[in-house]
Amino acid sequence: MTRQHSSEPTGYVGQSVPRVEDERLLRGHGRYVDDIALPGTLEAAVLRSPHAHARITRLETAAARDLQGVHAVYTASDVAALKPLVNEAELRVPPGLAEKLEPLVRTLPMPLLAREKVVYAGQPVALVVADSRYLAEDALELVEIGYEPLPVVVDPERALEPGAPLVEESWQDNLALELETGVGAPDTAFREAAVVIEEEFAVHRHVPSPIETRGVLAAPGAYDGRLTVWANTQTPHRVRDHIAMSLAMPADDVHVVAVDVGGGFGQKGILYVEELLVPFAARALGRPVLWREDRNENLTAASHAREQTHRIALAADAEGRLLGLRDRILVNFGASTMTGLVVPYNSVIHLLGPYRVPHVDIAVRAALTHTTFTSPYRGAGRPEAVFAMERALDRLARRLGLEPSELRRRNLITPEEMPYRTGLLDRSGEKQEYDSGDFPELLRRAVDHIDLRGVRKRQSEAARSGDQRTGVGFAVYLEATGLGPFESARLTVRPNGQLRLAIGAPSQGQGHRTSMAQIAADAVGVPMESVDVLGGDTDAVPHGVGTIASRALVTAGNATHRAGLALRTRILDAAAERLGVPAEELSIDGTRVRHPGGAETALAALVADGAELSETAYFRPGGFTYASGAHAAVVDVDTRTGHVSIEKYVVVHDAGRIVNPVIAEGQITGGVAQGIAGALYEEMIYGPDGQPTTTTYMDYLLPTSSEIPDLHLDEIVTPSALNDLGVKGLGEGGAIAPQAVLTNAVEDALTPLGVVVRRGPLTPDRVRGRIREAQAVHSEQAAPVPS
Amino acid sequence: MKPGPFDYEAPASLTEAVRLLADQEREAKVLAGGQSLIPMLNMRLARPGLLVDITRVPELSGLYVDEAGHLHVGAAVRQAAAAAAPEVRAGWPLLAGAIAHIGHPQIRNRGTVCGSLVHHDPAAELPAASLALEARFTIVGPGGNRTVTAEDFFVSTFQTAVGPDEILTEVVFPPAPGDGWSFAEHVQRRGDFAAVGVAVALARRQNAMHRVRVVFCGAGPLPVRVPEAESALEGRPLDAEALEGATALAGAALDPPKDVHASAEWRREGAQTLLRQALTEAWERTA
């Protein structure tokens, strides 16, 4: 639904301006990495390990090199001079956390190409560069390689047992991370509680699956020795700095472009070895080199996510007021320590969510296993935490005989308690503080929209033996958004009097060209048609972080706002000087500056003859903003087949001030779709031998629009006081709750049968299996005592 | 995901196609709609040295009903074309109904009926439908023509009676048993291969079932016909007792596989649920 927007040059923020990027993208004029055609481009293919754990006994590349059309075959010894990959920004432990929690955070640098050993199926072993991808893949088959298979561990619990096969030989175990934190006196709380429940819940492994797979095109400059790299990354400046460091080049000699990117979801938010290998090859060969990941590689060898187990306990008084929470979290890192604390600690600090929990004891461990490495994926530890907490709340409600939404209501933090401190430390190592929100109102609306009373009435009227069972589920969550340390915006008056905004945070589909132009146009006081937005080009703005962690609107948005206000002042001052009138009497009208007395000048004239008008602003968030939401769903479960169908799905969200409602709705819808996908369909499955078994979209079930229901969306707005725009960000929000909501709803439907659901996805086979087990237990209990 | 090198020929006659296929030095392989073969080439699971594209062979593009009332579907006939043909919809609605479950429109626009049969994924719809409709298969090779029944055509997963130097030129469907038909399957996503599915064909005479055919897909290395269930239903009306009896017999007869999508037990239960549904629908269609 597009809302009206006025033709006034101010007041764009808050309006559903149609996305200006869409016409170009929908007409097929997007320029993704694979669309960029440079003369003389060579294509690369990666030889990947077929084994989960093996010693390389032989590696002979002569036959591959001899194939006509092959330009190079690189193995570990060719890239020995390059530093192994470390995602340094993500692995840094903030001083506050390091000092107070003393976490164990081990770093395992990733070799660019496997040397001596491979530790997961899909690990790069060699890079072939040829005239075409076809020839490169032909050459992969000619690399003669011998493997001696070694013992494999894929289960993180087993990986931490003594004697488990090691992923890193120089470590004495597979423990990659360990920390413990808490609040109050949890032991006492649990001892004195009226009710204690304890459960184990698991979140399965996902693959983020952006529609555009990863890709890198690197081209050495003919004139200046610079290197231009088109990479579809979420963090172009980090990729630039990493390439520069690895290839020993000055950072400003590397130009990274990530302008049109087809989805990222976190999978493109980290650094990969291919982003170093391809530039290396381009420099070595003096030719442009392109590597485009195929879908099989994306599913098996780009980062995975989400796999966590929670042994969670809740203590409550007889009325259901929470007294304590204890959780033992185990994370499967896969074969490397890609982003260290990021995901596990995100789980820790989102576990309490919007609930008041006075006594807390949380411990988290992460294990290395012989599986593909993991990294943040839309939600980044939050869906996992919300799954554990919201499932535990439902179990507690059943124990107490309380309506699950009523139990939640009794424990939600109220607006009067804001800002609210949990007693934990946030990701920056500061005291975690929720800035704003109205969680009871979110829940009240969700209960209302889902028609809880109506669902309960239908359930009680339905025949208890019917094949179709209806259930309802809820989840309330919050999300720390606006991660620092900073983001940049540079706003410049162009020679034609229009403006160019360059920001450090690129778009992978979020619509920055529209939303950031709305912010800039309002701040400067020009029509948004005058503002052209460029994100993801490291030459356009010197520093940047990227579009990850629901941060772009908060950080780049506020940087844009500041740059806009500053540029407005600069423009008016320059015009005042030129026209000889006071600046405060001037107004900007389109591409002209006017004085009521009739004097006027074109913006273009202000930047002619050696004058420049440009402002660069940085926004360094002072604390995290907290977006929040309540989701509710009604499902029907066919007890004969285990098939789950979603009858209704409600989202009530709060992301503070909304810049563009239609873009926000798109973000939420996409996030919920991905959440539903993980709840019902998607799972990356490994065999005990470390072989991935769901390696194509025939087996890794990515849903289509046919599987995703219409959503019922509502919002409340509690603006953040932590930034001038009052925005919070909502990139990940939609994806956080669906797995908890749908699992709660399915269990609610099957409660009369005694079914408990402890992990997903809720495939027909899994749901039917739980029903069968519950029926077996019941019939056992009903069976006569043997004489 | 790029294929290895191969040669490509698009012969204009069946004779030429057969001659090209005889070149087994190059491991020649027939290409029709390419909906299974091309992905297998791209993943380098198939490595033919020569692709013989038969979609331009005029003799193979026919779809017609002969004087005896048998439906002929040539090797180059696309699934979408077969499902849309008035003679198919009128006389062999089970065939059209099965095709409706195959993939998505883009796949059915390219994929051929015969291609799906020769590829023989045991979870696919058309092998089960062709067995239920007692199709006969015309195979041409260097030694001439031969015809095999559906029972003999499907050998094992991805294997049929068609030899490497032969072409399935057409599949021939005798008149359908009667007006009763149903094709039902369990998929997690629209357009997927069935986790399990069933084709049912039957006739109604004097309020009783006759010529009942029950064939499952996704239940074994071959489409699985269940004669026990068929004969239990023969000659009686479809009432609750008949339905439960046939369902129990099918459950006992099936030995389905397990994979990442479903356990054997779930497939057996799912097959039984589908059979109840399909028999009911087929019987209601005859009313």
Side-chain angles (χ1 to χ4, degrees):
Chain A
M1 198 69 88
T2 310
R3 297 174 202 187
Q4 289 290 313
H5 76 89
S6 78
S7 55
E8 294 293 313
T10 54
Y12 292 107
V13 170
Q15 304 198 34
S16 286
V17 181
R19 287 167 33 117
V20 298
E21 42 272 88
D22 282 347
E23 172 155 348
R24 195 173 60 86
L25 297 178
L26 293 174
R27 286 182 189 279
H29 296 157
R31 295 272 284 171
Y32 298 93
V33 171
D34 199 30
D35 297 320
I36 294 160
L38 300 178
T41 299
L42 302 175
E43 296 200 47
V46 181
L47 182 69
R48 296 182 183 278
S49 167
H51 295 280
H53 192 200
R55 197 169 304 286
I56 299 172
T57 54
R58 196 166 69 92
L59 186 50
E60 183 49 64
T61 61
R65 275 179 223 271
D66 287 347
L67 187 71
Q68 190 163 9
V70 170
H71 293 256
V73 181
Y74 299 112
T75 64
S77 56
D78 300 302
V79 294
L82 278 65
K83 278 193 194 138
L85 176 75
V86 177
N87 276 273
E88 271 176 24
E90 305 286 15
L91 284 162
R92 211 170 290 138
V93 180
L97 285 186
E99 190 187 312
K100 298 199 185 85
L101 300 185
E102 297 179 350
L104 169 74
V105 183
R106 289 162 108 174
T107 296
L108 183 61
M110 184 179 282
L112 302 192
L113 291 166
R115 170 185 292 279
E116 293 165 20
K117 251 181 72 166
V118 291
V119 290
Y120 64 96
Q123 183 174 0
V125 177
L127 184 83
V128 172
V129 184
D131 285 336
S132 74
R133 176 69 177 246
Y134 292 84
L135 286 169
E137 291 194 20
D138 290 347
L140 293 185
E141 296 182 336
L142 298 175
V143 176
E144 294 163 39
I145 184 160
Y147 292 104
E148 177 198 330
L150 296 168
V152 169
V153 64
V154 297
D155 175 60
E157 194 92 47
R158 266 211 52 222
L160 295 182
E161 287 169 3
L166 294 177
V167 173
E168 171 55 37
E169 275 173 12
S170 66
W171 294 11
Q172 65 280 25
D173 56 32
N174 289 313
L175 184 66
L177 180 144
E178 185 168 35
L179 76 83
E180 190 157 4
T181 185
V183 183
D187 289 347
T188 316
F190 272 86
R191 212 165 35 242
E192 292 171 359
V195 194
V196 171
I197 60 115
E198 184 173 0
E199 294 282 353
E200 187 168 297
F201 297 115
V203 178
H204 55 279
R205 183 175 283 236
H206 292 52
V207 188
S209 299
I211 194 84
E212 183 200 17
T213 53
R214 294 184 298 131
V216 186
L217 167 63
Y223 305 109
D224 53 11
R226 293 181 84 213
L227 184 70
T228 302
V229 180
W230 287 265
N232 52 20
T233 173
Q234 295 170 235
T235 57
H237 289 85
R238 284 183 178 175
V239 169
R240 175 196 66 185
D241 294 350
H242 200 246
I243 291 170
M245 186 195 71
S246 185
L247 300 184
M249 297 172 72
D252 62 349
D253 271 355
V254 180
H255 176 201
V256 173
V257 187
V259 175
D260 279 343
V261 178
F265 313 116
Q267 198 186 48
K268 295 174 182 165
I270 55 170
L271 306 166
Y272 285 91
V273 296
E274 292 91 345
E275 288 162 343
L276 299 176
L277 290 168
V278 173
F280 163 78
R283 292 238 298 168
L285 297 168
R287 300 262 301 260
V289 176
L290 166 68
W291 170 74
R292 83 177 79 71
E293 180 184 62
D294 66 32
R295 188 55 72 181
N296 185 258
E297 291 180 289
N298 183 268
L299 277 166
T300 56
S303 70
H304 293 172
R306 296 261 199 277
E307 193 182 338
Q308 288 190 2
T309 307
H310 291 248
R311 177 153 283 282
I312 185 170
L314 294 178
D317 69 14
E319 279 74 50
R321 272 182 296 268
L322 291 172
L323 302 173
L325 174 150
R326 179 174 285 132
D327 195 5
R328 296 290 172 266
I329 308 172
L330 180 58
V331 181
N332 188 346
F333 260 177
S336 195
T337 57
M338 216 60 179
T339 56
L341 269 177
V342 173
V343 170
Y345 200 66
N346 244 359
S347 294
V348 169
I349 57 167
H350 288 87
L351 195 57
L352 307 181
Y355 303 105
R356 203 183 300 106
V357 189
H359 303 285
V360 180
D361 167 17
I362 307 170
V364 56
R365 291 182 304 162
L368 294 186
T369 60
H370 295 107
T371 60
T372 295
F373 54 84
T374 59
S375 77
Y377 164 40
R378 202 173 195 170
R382 303 174 186 94
E384 300 89 320
V386 168
F387 185 73
M389 180 64 171
E390 293 290 326
R391 291 269 43 241
L393 284 171
D394 264 30
R395 300 302 305 154
L396 179 61
R398 300 253 183 271
R399 172 74 70 81
L400 290 163
L402 271 178
E403 178 66 62
S405 61
E406 173 58 19
L407 174 71
R408 286 173 171 78
R409 194 191 62 76
R410 289 180 190 179
N411 289 288
L412 286 174
I413 297 157
T414 61
E416 294 71 39
E417 294 169 83
M418 295 289 175
Y420 179 89
R421 286 194 171 176
T422 60
L424 299 172
L425 298 176
D426 69 20
R427 267 177 87 171
S428 317
E430 305 295 327
K431 289 191 164 71
Q432 186 181 28
E433 184 173 286
Y434 302 163
D435 63 325
S436 59
D438 187 345
F439 313 137
E441 178 62 11
L442 293 171
L443 177 63
R444 192 192 66 72
R445 291 195 191 196
V447 167
D448 204 34
H449 292 314
I450 206 75
D451 184 21
L452 178 60
R453 203 175 295 174
V455 177
R456 292 294 181 221
K457 192 152 168 276
R458 263 195 287 155
Q459 284 176 320
S460 64
E461 285 164 3
R464 290 184 73 81
S465 60
D467 291 330
Q468 291 288 334
R469 306 279 182 139
T470 298
V472 59
F474 293 89
V476 193
Y477 67 91
L478 50 73
E479 180 196 6
T481 57
L483 175 71
F486 73 91
E487 198 50 85
S488 58
R490 170 177 284 183
L491 196 55
T492 305
V493 181
R494 302 167 65 194
N496 66 355
Q498 298 198 324
L499 307 184
R500 168 157 289 139
L501 170 67
I503 49 175
S507 172
Q508 301 89 46
Q510 293 90 341
H512 291 173
R513 282 186 176 222
T514 308
S515 51
M516 297 298 171
Q518 289 176 263
I519 293 168
D522 277 1
V524 182
V526 295
M528 61 171 287
E529 294 73 25
S530 285
V531 186
D532 189 38
V533 180
L534 182 61
D537 185 323
T538 61
D539 271 8
V541 59
H543 304 288
V545 176
T547 301
I548 53 172
S550 303
R551 68 187 298 278
L553 186 62
V554 176
T555 58
N558 278 290
T560 297
H561 178 68
R562 285 182 181 177
L565 293 178
L567 185 66
R568 179 179 173 82
T569 305
R570 287 277 308 280
I571 290 170
L572 292 176
D573 286 350
E577 196 180 319
R578 186 182 182 86
L579 300 174
V581 296
E584 52 277 15
E585 291 174 14
L586 291 171
S587 61
I588 301 177
D589 179 12
T591 57
R592 305 189 74 78
V593 183
R594 296 185 201 279
H595 185 261
E600 63 171 80
T601 176
L603 279 171
L606 300 176
V607 292
D609 303 327
E612 280 179 40
L613 283 176
S614 183
E615 283 291 334
T616 302
Y618 292 87
F619 181 78
R620 296 175 191 279
F624 287 94
T625 42
Y626 280 83
S628 52
H631 291 202
V634 175
V635 300
D636 275 350
V637 183
D638 186 329
T639 58
R640 297 165 308 175
T641 61
H643 184 82
V644 176
S645 57
I646 302 171
E647 297 307 307
K648 189 170 185 184
Y649 200 101
V650 169
V651 178
V652 188
H653 70 92
D654 175 8
R657 191 163 169 220
I658 299 294
V659 171
N660 185 319
V662 75
I663 287 179
E665 280 179 20
Q667 284 271 33
I668 292 160
T669 303
V672 172
Q674 276 186 315
I676 291 173
L680 300 185
Y681 301 100
E682 295 180 27
E683 182 177 13
M684 174 48 71
I685 301 171
Y686 277 90
D689 55 356
Q691 288 298 320
T693 57
T694 48
T695 60
T696 73
Y697 281 158
M698 280 178 71
D699 291 326
Y700 186 85
L701 302 182
L702 207 64
T704 68
S705 56
S706 308
E707 280 75 43
I708 303 299
D710 288 338
L711 308 178
H712 184 106
L713 302 184
D714 188 14
E715 67 173 8
I716 66 171
V717 176
T718 63
S720 175
L722 298 182
N723 61 74
D724 291 342
L725 290 172
V727 297
K728 292 179 174 176
L730 81 172
E732 297 168 276
I736 294 173
Q739 194 172 356
V741 171
L742 293 171
T743 310
N744 283 346
V746 167
E747 190 173 293
D748 183 62
L750 301 177
T751 291
L753 304 177
V755 167
V756 182
V757 187
R758 295 192 168 84
R759 65 157 286 168
L762 301 167
T763 60
D765 188 28
R766 176 168 284 112
V767 173
R768 179 63 200 145
R770 295 298 87 78
I771 294 169
R772 212 183 289 121
E773 283 166 14
Q775 284 167 339
V777 170
H778 278 213
S779 61
E780 223 168 75
Q781 286 165 352
V785 182
S787 53
Chain B
M1 279 216 247
K2 297 291 180 202
F6 59 83
D7 296 327
Y8 170 90
E9 300 274 3
S13 74
L14 183 56
T15 317
E16 179 64 5
V18 171
R19 191 189 63 75
L20 286 165
L21 270 182
D23 185 358
Q24 284 302 314
E25 295 263 299
R26 282 197 284 176
E27 289 185 48
K29 194 150 177 66
V30 173
L31 172 69
Q35 296 304 289
S36 300
L37 180 56
I38 298 295
M40 288 172 73
L41 291 177
N42 285 343
M43 289 190 266
R44 300 195 177 216
L45 296 171
R47 298 297 299 269
L50 170 64
L51 291 187
V52 181
D53 182 344
I54 57 161
T55 56
R56 289 175 218 175
V57 176
E59 300 102 295
L60 301 178
S61 64
L63 184 149
Y64 61 94
V65 179
D66 66 18
E67 286 162 5
H70 293 233
L71 171 72
H72 295 244
V73 181
V77 174
R78 314 281 177 178
Q79 291 154 6
E87 49 272 60
V88 174
R89 303 187 77 84
W92 293 267
L94 172 59
L95 179 58
I99 290 173
H101 286 276
I102 299 174
H104 301 278
Q106 295 92 325
I107 291 169
R108 299 193 290 269
N109 285 342
R110 283 256 172 208
T112 61
V113 171
C114 287
S116 174
L117 293 168
V118 178
H119 180 61
H120 185 219
D121 186 318
E125 292 81 2
L126 285 173
S130 70
L131 189 54
L133 291 168
E134 298 180 327
R136 298 176 74 80
F137 297 76
T138 309
I139 298 166
V140 175
N145 288 11
R146 59 195 179 102
T147 301
V148 300
T149 62
E151 271 81 8
D152 295 332
F153 184 78
F154 302 107
V155 174
S156 186
T157 303
F158 301 132
Q159 280 181 7
T160 67
V162 181
D165 56 354
E166 292 182 311
I167 301 176
L168 171 65
T169 54
E170 64 173 5
V171 56
V172 181
F173 296 91
D179 293 339
W181 70 274
S182 177
F183 194 98
E185 64 180 34
H186 279 305
V187 287
Q188 283 195 62
R189 296 177 302 189
R190 261 195 93 74
D192 276 343
F193 275 98
V196 65
V198 67
V200 166
L202 57 85
R204 183 196 288 226
R205 264 181 259 137
Q206 283 123 24
N207 201 35
M209 288 178 282
H210 289 283
R211 304 183 64 193
V212 183
R213 301 288 175 264
V214 173
V215 183
F216 291 94
C217 60
L222 297 166
V224 183
R225 186 165 170 179
V226 189
E228 303 92 318
E230 292 173 359
S231 40
L233 294 164
E234 191 71 28
R236 20 182 331 180
L238 187 74
D239 51 23
E241 194 190 333
L243 207 52
E244 286 319 303
T247 306
L249 286 167
L254 293 178
D255 181 20
K258 64 166 185 175
D259 60 20
V260 290
H261 302 301
S263 60
E265 198 163 9
W266 185 88
R267 280 198 165 84
R268 182 179 294 108
E269 289 180 353
Q272 291 177 301
T273 309
L274 288 173
L275 181 58
R276 274 189 213 102
Q277 178 190 327
L279 280 171
T280 307
E281 186 177 67
W283 178 247
E284 281 168 1
R285 280 198 165 109
T286 61

